[in-house]
Amino acid sequence: MKRKSFLKYMGAGAVAMPSLLNGFSVRASKPSFFEQMLHPNLVGNDRILVIVNLNGGNDGLNTLVPVDQYDLYKIARPKIGIPQDKLLSLSGVSHVGMNPAMTGIRELYDDGKVAIIQNVGYPEPSFSHFRSNDIWTTASDSDEILKTGWVGRYLKYEYPNYPFDFPNAEMPDPLAIEIGYAQSVIMQGPAYSMGIAVADPTSFFNLVNGIDTPTPNTPAGEQLKYVRLIARQANLYAGRIQEAFNSVATQPAYPDTVLAAQLKIVAKLIAGGLKTRIYHVWMTGFDTHDSQAEVDAPWVGRHAKLLKEFSDAVKIFQDDLTSHGVQDKVLGMTYSEFGRRIISNGSDGTDHGAAAPVFIFGSNVQPGILGDNPTLPAAPTVDDNIPMQHDFRSVYRTLLEGWFCMPPADVPEILLDDFPGLPFIQPAASCLQISDARERNKNAGRRLLDNYPNPFWANTTIRFEGDGGRATVQILDGAGKLVATPFSDASQVGRNTISWDSEGLPTGIYYCRLQNGAVQQVGQMLKVAD
């Protein structure tokens, strides 16, 4: 099939492809001059959350060892219990010792940049990886199946018009980015996924460097190459991501691990000015049923290696943010679908359990340990679990209310019930002046301005929504030069209609700009020859 025929058969799909390319939503126009000119001046709630999934079920008891019950801990784990003299001490803490592999997290903790929440879980826990992961990502009860994610519901609350007319001047960037999942349920809103997904770090670096994975030397391979070319040229979000990524010249040396590669990308996008609100990254391997630790040296082994990868990646990520001066806008959290049993099993591992610790990291955390050490039994059995002390939805509530500044009365709309918050965000992280930004977010994607006909020959009718205050409508050419001001007066509440005659102006693309109080919007107009 020739390229001309190929486009013919693609039809409307060649204009606005609703599919994904390497996980990126594809649309068929580029950022306008005026959108690019406005973007550096955008202000608002630019707080960012980075969610780290420790997939498989992290063993909390070997992550944070209850040294105030160390004898009982060794009874429960005679072979894989970490020697007390190997544990890392934490500043101001005497009842807990940290896994010796976690030197990076310990350093951040001592520097006041880590909060640890003990025994996080939910009532009636599921020991299924898939079901428990669904519960954490949807914020459902254990007997409830939800099809939307808690992040997706929150982003729909903030940006109710998404995805229509997105990107736009108020939100030119993806609302959320996942690395490692193809549109997982955590980002699923009531009707649409609220984020975009990148299959893996390699796919991302191929995207920003313009590199394609090999295609077969067949007619189908040639078509795939052409689809990629058209999609890359047409992909608004990819263009913004590339712009942000390429604007950062230097980063510290990250470890060569999966999580570090993902966090390196996230740090570079944040430092490059991408306004994406939420990132979701992951590492796997925490399902440690066997050979969790070296029997002769239980402070090393499989679990310790995982914790070191996590700890080192978060530490260099935090250092990277600090080096670019963007650390105050970022908060991170971990979650794992469940913890492990108190007692070790016969394979020198641990089986699926219930509650586990959650780590919150960033310069705006209220540092310390929330919650008590789990109470260990004197004669542990295979049925003994660490009971939940904090519901995971209390963590989410604190992030929504304390970090993203949701009005307290609105939070149950997202979490589908009311949960108490937890004091792990500094009170100084004020939520003042967020309401104006939220109002702009709610209007993002709402069509306040259009014209008809478009394209037009000489005259066109401009329609805009007014609030009764003074409104200005300006026409700018493709270079951003003001060529006309069809309206500058008090507006009517609701629909306003004005006629504009473009006589004397050449054919081409023009931009119609509405300014009405704090609201501004830009629409594209095309003048063609009669």
Side-chain angles (χ1 to χ4, degrees):
M1 186 183 295
K2 295 182 179 180
R3 292 185 178 185
K4 182 177 180 181
S5 301
F6 180 70
L7 286 176
K8 174 184 175 182
Y9 283 105
M10 286 188 68
V15 177
M17 300 166 63
S19 57
L20 299 176
L21 180 70
N22 279 343
F24 282 98
S25 175
V26 174
R27 294 185 55 178
S29 60
K30 295 183 179 181
S32 71
F33 167 85
F34 211 78
E35 287 171 333
Q36 294 182 39
M37 189 170 73
L38 286 174
H39 178 69
N41 301 317
L42 292 171
V43 295
N45 179 8
D46 61 350
R47 293 180 178 182
I48 295 165
L49 176 65
V50 178
I51 304 172
V52 181
N53 179 5
L54 307 180
N55 189 260
N58 179 41
D59 178 22
L61 209 53
N62 265 25
T63 302
L64 296 174
V65 176
V67 295
D68 58 351
Q69 304 168 71
Y70 188 80
D71 291 344
L72 297 177
Y73 164 77
K74 281 296 290 182
I75 290 172
R77 299 182 168 202
K79 292 184 179 180
I80 68 167
I82 301 170
Q84 190 167 358
D85 62 357
K86 295 291 185 181
L87 297 172
L88 300 176
S89 62
L90 299 174
S91 177
V93 175
S94 60
H95 64 292
V96 169
M98 185 173 281
N99 190 293
M102 301 179 68
T103 54
I105 291 291
R106 194 269 292 271
E107 186 175 341
L108 289 175
Y109 181 93
D110 289 347
D111 198 29
K113 295 179 180 177
V114 169
I116 303 170
I117 309 168
Q118 287 270 48
N119 313 321
V120 182
Y122 55 90
E124 301 179 17
S126 170
F127 301 129
S128 159
H129 290 290
F130 301 106
R131 178 66 193 125
S132 192
N133 193 64
D134 278 348
I135 290 169
W136 274 83
T137 53
T138 64
S140 72
D141 291 332
S142 59
D143 60 352
E144 178 182 30
I145 304 294
L146 297 178
K147 295 182 179 180
T148 59
W150 75 275
V151 168
R153 296 193 297 271
Y154 163 66
L155 290 173
K156 189 62 176 178
Y157 166 88
E158 287 281 2
Y159 302 92
N161 301 312
Y162 184 88
F164 302 105
D165 291 315
F166 277 75
N168 51 61
E170 287 79 15
M171 189 52 180
D173 302 328
L175 304 185
I177 294 177
E178 296 183 82
I179 302 178
Y181 289 93
Q183 301 294 322
S184 66
V185 71
I186 195 171
M187 302 295 183
Q188 181 62 44
Y192 305 94
S193 175
M194 303 300 289
I196 64 172
V198 185
D200 51 47
T202 299
S203 297
F204 179 86
F205 283 112
N206 286 349
L207 172 76
V208 297
N209 291 312
I211 300 171
D212 286 326
T213 52
T215 57
N217 187 23
T218 64
E222 289 301 310
Q223 303 296 348
L224 177 57
K225 288 179 182 178
Y226 189 56
V227 169
R228 286 175 172 173
L229 173 63
I230 296 300
R232 184 180 297 112
Q233 290 173 341
N235 196 321
L236 276 169
Y237 281 145
R240 279 289 303 134
I241 289 169
Q242 288 173 322
E243 177 188 340
F245 186 87
N246 292 330
S247 69
V248 177
T250 61
Q251 286 184 282
Y254 277 70
D256 184 18
T257 63
V258 171
L259 180 61
Q262 296 171 75
L263 290 178
K264 182 178 183 179
I265 290 171
V266 173
K268 198 165 189 180
L269 294 178
I270 293 171
L274 208 68
K275 293 175 66 65
T276 295
R277 305 296 300 281
I278 296 176
Y279 295 87
H280 186 219
V281 300
W282 65 282
M283 62 180 294
T284 191
F286 286 90
D287 196 18
T288 51
H289 285 283
D290 59 84
S291 305
Q292 178 173 319
E294 297 291 338
V295 173
D296 296 331
W299 58 93
V300 296
R302 189 168 148 209
H303 186 239
K305 181 175 181 291
L306 291 165
L307 292 179
K308 177 175 174 57
E309 290 180 10
F310 157 66
S311 175
D312 290 352
V314 170
K315 176 61 168 65
I316 196 68
F317 173 72
Q318 197 65 40
D319 290 347
D320 195 358
L321 297 177
T322 301
S323 72
H324 289 98
V326 294
Q327 71 279 6
D328 288 342
K329 65 166 63 176
V330 184
L331 205 66
M333 68 158 287
T334 68
Y335 77 96
S336 197
E337 64 265 40
F338 44 61
R340 317 297 292 186
R341 300 294 172 97
I342 291 175
I343 193 171
S344 57
N345 61 30
S347 300
D348 301 322
T350 50
D351 297 323
H352 296 183
V358 163
F359 292 83
I360 310 291
F361 53 92
S363 60
N364 276 302
V365 303
Q366 186 70 42
I369 298 178
L370 292 175
D372 306 316
N373 280 338
T375 300
L376 303 184
T381 71
V382 293
D383 295 323
D384 287 323
N385 250 311
I386 294 173
M388 177 197 81
Q389 182 176 2
H390 299 293
D391 193 299
F392 72 98
R393 289 161 292 194
S394 288
V395 178
Y396 295 168
R397 182 186 184 107
T398 306
L399 293 169
L400 292 172
E401 184 180 338
W403 186 242
F404 287 129
C405 301
M406 277 192 72
D410 292 354
V411 175
E413 175 186 338
I414 308 303
L415 300 182
L416 311 178
D417 206 341
D418 206 3
F419 298 91
L422 297 168
F424 61 75
I425 297 177
Q426 289 183 13
S430 172
C431 285
L432 296 176
Q433 299 180 345
I434 296 300
S435 59
D436 288 345
R438 175 157 289 118
E439 193 62 31
R440 289 195 298 272
N441 293 344
K442 288 186 179 298
N443 281 322
R446 180 182 168 206
R447 189 68 67 85
L448 302 175
L449 174 72
D450 65 5
N451 69 293
Y452 181 84
N454 191 19
F456 63 95
W457 287 271
N459 296 290
T460 187
T461 298
I462 298 170
R463 302 171 294 193
F464 68 90
E465 295 291 324
D467 65 2
R470 185 176 185 85
T472 300
V473 176
Q474 299 173 321
I475 310 297
L476 300 101
D477 64 16
K481 179 183 177 183
L482 179 67
V483 296
T485 303
F487 184 87
S488 183
D489 207 339
S491 64
Q492 299 179 21
V493 176
R495 176 62 62 91
N496 292 255
T497 301
I498 55 177
S499 180
W500 178 55
D501 184 351
S502 66
E503 185 178 357
L505 293 173
T507 59
I509 294 174
Y510 291 86
Y511 299 100
C512 184
R513 174 180 181 263
L514 168 66
Q515 178 77 45
N516 188 195
V519 174
Q520 57 181 330
Q521 196 164 96
V522 177
Q524 189 177 92
M525 310 162 65
L526 178 61
K527 180 176 180 178
V528 296
D530 190 349

Coordinates of all heavy atoms in Angstrom, one line a residue, residues 222-255:
E222 N 7.2 -1.4 6.9 CA 7.3 -0.1 6.3 C 6.1 0.8 6.7 O 6.2 1.9 7.0 CB 7.3 -0.2 4.8 CG 8.6 -0.8 4.2 CD 9.8 0.1 4.6 OE1 9.7 1.3 4.4 OE2 10.8 -0.4 5.1
Q223 N 4.9 0.1 6.8 CA 3.7 0.9 7.3 C 3.9 1.3 8.7 O 3.6 2.4 9.1 CB 2.5 0.0 7.1 CG 2.2 -0.5 5.7 CD 1.9 0.6 4.8 OE1 1.7 1.7 5.2 NE2 1.9 0.3 3.5
L224 N 4.5 0.4 9.5 CA 4.7 0.7 11.0 C 5.7 1.9 11.1 O 5.5 2.8 11.9 CB 5.3 -0.5 11.7 CG 5.6 -0.3 13.2 CD1 4.4 0.2 14.0 CD2 6.1 -1.6 13.8
K225 N 6.7 1.9 10.3 CA 7.7 3.0 10.3 C 6.9 4.4 10.0 O 7.2 5.4 10.6 CB 8.8 2.8 9.3 CG 9.8 1.8 9.7 CD 10.9 1.6 8.6 CE 11.8 0.5 9.0 NZ 12.9 0.4 7.9
Y226 N 6.0 4.3 9.0 CA 5.4 5.5 8.6 C 4.4 6.0 9.7 O 4.3 7.2 10.0 CB 4.6 5.3 7.3 CG 4.1 6.5 6.7 CD1 4.9 7.6 6.4 CD2 2.7 6.7 6.4 CE1 4.4 8.8 5.9 CE2 2.2 7.8 5.9 CZ 3.1 8.9 5.6 OH 2.6 10.1 5.1
V227 N 3.7 5.0 10.3 CA 2.8 5.4 11.4 C 3.6 6.1 12.5 O 3.1 7.1 13.1 CB 2.1 4.1 12.0 CG1 1.4 4.4 13.3 CG2 1.1 3.6 11.0
R228 N 4.7 5.5 12.8 CA 5.6 6.1 13.9 C 6.0 7.5 13.5 O 6.0 8.5 14.3 CB 6.8 5.3 14.1 CG 6.5 4.0 14.9 CD 7.7 3.1 15.0 NE 7.5 2.0 15.8 CZ 8.4 1.0 16.0 NH1 9.6 1.1 15.3 NH2 8.2 0.0 16.8
L229 N 6.3 7.7 12.2 CA 6.8 9.1 11.8 C 5.6 10.1 11.9 O 5.8 11.1 12.5 CB 7.2 9.0 10.4 CG 7.6 10.4 9.7 CD1 8.7 11.0 10.4 CD2 7.9 10.1 8.2
I230 N 4.4 9.7 11.4 CA 3.3 10.6 11.5 C 2.9 10.9 13.0 O 2.6 12.0 13.4 CB 2.1 10.0 10.7 CG1 2.5 9.9 9.2 CG2 0.9 10.9 10.9 CD1 2.8 11.2 8.6
A231 N 2.9 9.8 13.7 CA 2.5 9.9 15.1 C 3.5 10.8 15.9 O 3.1 11.7 16.7 CB 2.4 8.6 15.8
R232 N 4.8 10.6 15.7 CA 5.7 11.4 16.4 C 5.6 12.9 16.0 O 5.7 13.8 16.9 CB 7.2 11.0 16.1 CG 8.2 11.7 16.9 CD 9.6 11.2 16.6 NE 9.8 9.8 17.0 CZ 10.0 8.9 16.1 NH1 10.0 9.1 14.8 NH2 10.1 7.6 16.5
Q233 N 5.4 13.2 14.8 CA 5.2 14.6 14.3 C 3.9 15.2 14.9 O 3.9 16.4 15.2 CB 5.2 14.7 12.8 CG 6.5 14.4 12.1 CD 6.4 14.3 10.6 OE1 5.3 14.1 10.1 NE2 7.5 14.4 9.9
A234 N 2.9 14.3 15.1 CA 1.6 14.8 15.6 C 1.4 14.8 17.1 O 0.4 15.3 17.5 CB 0.5 14.0 14.9
N235 N 2.3 14.3 17.8 CA 2.1 14.0 19.2 C 2.4 15.2 20.1 O 3.5 15.5 20.3 CB 3.0 12.8 19.7 CG 2.5 12.2 21.0 OD1 2.1 13.0 21.9 ND2 2.5 10.9 21.1
L236 N 1.3 15.9 20.5 CA 1.5 17.1 21.3 C 2.3 16.8 22.6 O 3.2 17.5 23.0 CB 0.2 17.7 21.7 CG -0.5 18.6 20.6 CD1 -1.9 18.9 21.0 CD2 0.3 19.9 20.5
Y237 N 1.8 15.7 23.3 CA 2.4 15.5 24.6 C 3.9 15.0 24.4 O 4.8 15.4 25.2 CB 1.7 14.4 25.3 CG 0.4 14.8 26.0 CD1 -0.7 14.0 26.0 CD2 0.3 16.1 26.6 CE1 -1.9 14.5 26.6 CE2 -0.8 16.6 27.2 CZ -1.9 15.7 27.2 OH -3.1 16.2 27.8
A238 N 4.2 14.3 23.4 CA 5.6 13.9 23.2 C 6.4 15.1 22.9 O 7.6 15.1 23.4 CB 5.6 12.9 22.0
G239 N 5.9 16.1 22.2 CA 6.7 17.3 22.0 C 7.0 18.0 23.3 O 8.1 18.5 23.5
R240 N 6.0 18.1 24.1 CA 6.2 18.8 25.4 C 7.2 18.0 26.3 O 8.0 18.6 27.0 CB 4.9 19.0 26.1 CG 4.1 20.2 25.6 CD 4.7 21.5 26.1 NE 4.9 21.6 27.5 CZ 6.0 22.0 28.1 NH1 7.0 22.4 27.5 NH2 6.0 22.0 29.4
I241 N 7.0 16.7 26.3 CA 7.9 15.9 27.1 C 9.4 16.0 26.6 O 10.3 16.1 27.4 CB 7.4 14.4 27.1 CG1 6.1 14.3 27.9 CG2 8.5 13.5 27.6 CD1 5.4 13.0 27.7
Q242 N 9.5 15.9 25.3 CA 10.9 16.1 24.7 C 11.5 17.5 25.1 O 12.6 17.6 25.5 CB 10.8 15.9 23.2 CG 10.6 14.5 22.8 CD 10.4 14.4 21.3 OE1 9.8 15.3 20.7 NE2 10.9 13.4 20.6
E243 N 10.6 18.5 25.0 CA 11.1 19.8 25.3 C 11.6 19.9 26.8 O 12.7 20.5 27.1 CB 10.0 20.8 25.1 CG 10.3 22.3 25.5 CD 9.1 23.2 25.4 OE1 8.1 22.8 24.8 OE2 9.1 24.2 26.1
A244 N 10.8 19.4 27.7 CA 11.2 19.4 29.1 C 12.4 18.6 29.4 O 13.4 19.0 30.1 CB 10.0 18.9 30.0
F245 N 12.4 17.4 28.8 CA 13.6 16.4 29.0 C 14.9 17.0 28.5 O 15.9 17.0 29.2 CB 13.2 15.1 28.3 CG 14.2 14.0 28.6 CD1 14.1 13.2 29.7 CD2 15.3 13.8 27.7 CE1 15.0 12.2 30.0 CE2 16.2 12.8 28.0 CZ 16.1 12.0 29.1
N246 N 14.8 17.6 27.3 CA 16.0 18.1 26.7 C 16.5 19.4 27.2 O 17.6 19.8 26.9 CB 15.8 18.2 25.2 CG 15.7 16.8 24.5 OD1 16.2 15.8 24.9 ND2 14.9 16.8 23.4
S247 N 15.7 20.1 28.1 CA 16.1 21.3 28.6 C 17.0 21.2 29.8 O 17.6 22.1 30.3 CB 14.9 22.2 29.0 OG 14.2 21.6 30.1
V248 N 17.2 19.9 30.3 CA 18.0 19.7 31.5 C 19.3 19.0 31.0 O 19.3 17.9 30.5 CB 17.3 18.8 32.5 CG1 18.2 18.5 33.7 CG2 16.0 19.5 33.0
A249 N 20.4 19.7 31.2 CA 21.7 19.3 30.7 C 22.4 18.3 31.6 O 23.1 17.4 31.1 CB 22.6 20.5 30.4
T250 N 22.3 18.5 32.9 CA 23.1 17.7 33.8 C 22.3 17.0 34.9 O 21.3 17.6 35.3 CB 24.2 18.5 34.5 OG1 23.6 19.6 35.2 CG2 25.1 19.2 33.4
Q251 N 22.7 15.8 35.2 CA 22.1 15.1 36.3 C 23.2 14.3 37.0 O 24.2 13.9 36.4 CB 21.0 14.1 35.8 CG 19.7 14.7 35.4 CD 18.7 13.7 35.1 OE1 18.7 13.1 34.0 NE2 17.7 13.4 36.0
P252 N 23.0 14.0 38.3 CA 24.0 13.1 39.0 C 24.0 11.7 38.4 O 23.0 11.3 37.7 CB 23.6 13.2 40.4 CG 22.1 13.5 40.4 CD 22.0 14.4 39.2
A253 N 25.0 10.9 38.7 CA 25.1 9.6 38.2 C 24.1 8.7 39.0 O 24.2 8.5 40.3 CB 26.5 9.0 38.4
Y254 N 23.1 8.1 38.4 CA 22.2 7.2 39.0 C 22.7 5.8 38.9 O 23.4 5.4 38.0 CB 20.8 7.3 38.3 CG 19.9 8.4 38.6 CD1 20.2 9.8 38.3 CD2 18.7 8.2 39.4 CE1 19.4 10.8 38.6 CE2 17.9 9.3 39.7 CZ 18.2 10.6 39.3 OH 17.4 11.6 39.7
P255 N 22.2 4.9 39.9 CA 22.6 3.5 39.8 C 22.0 2.9 38.6 O 21.0 3.4 38.1 CB 22.0 2.9 41.1 CG 21.7 4.1 42.0 CD 21.5 5.3 41.1

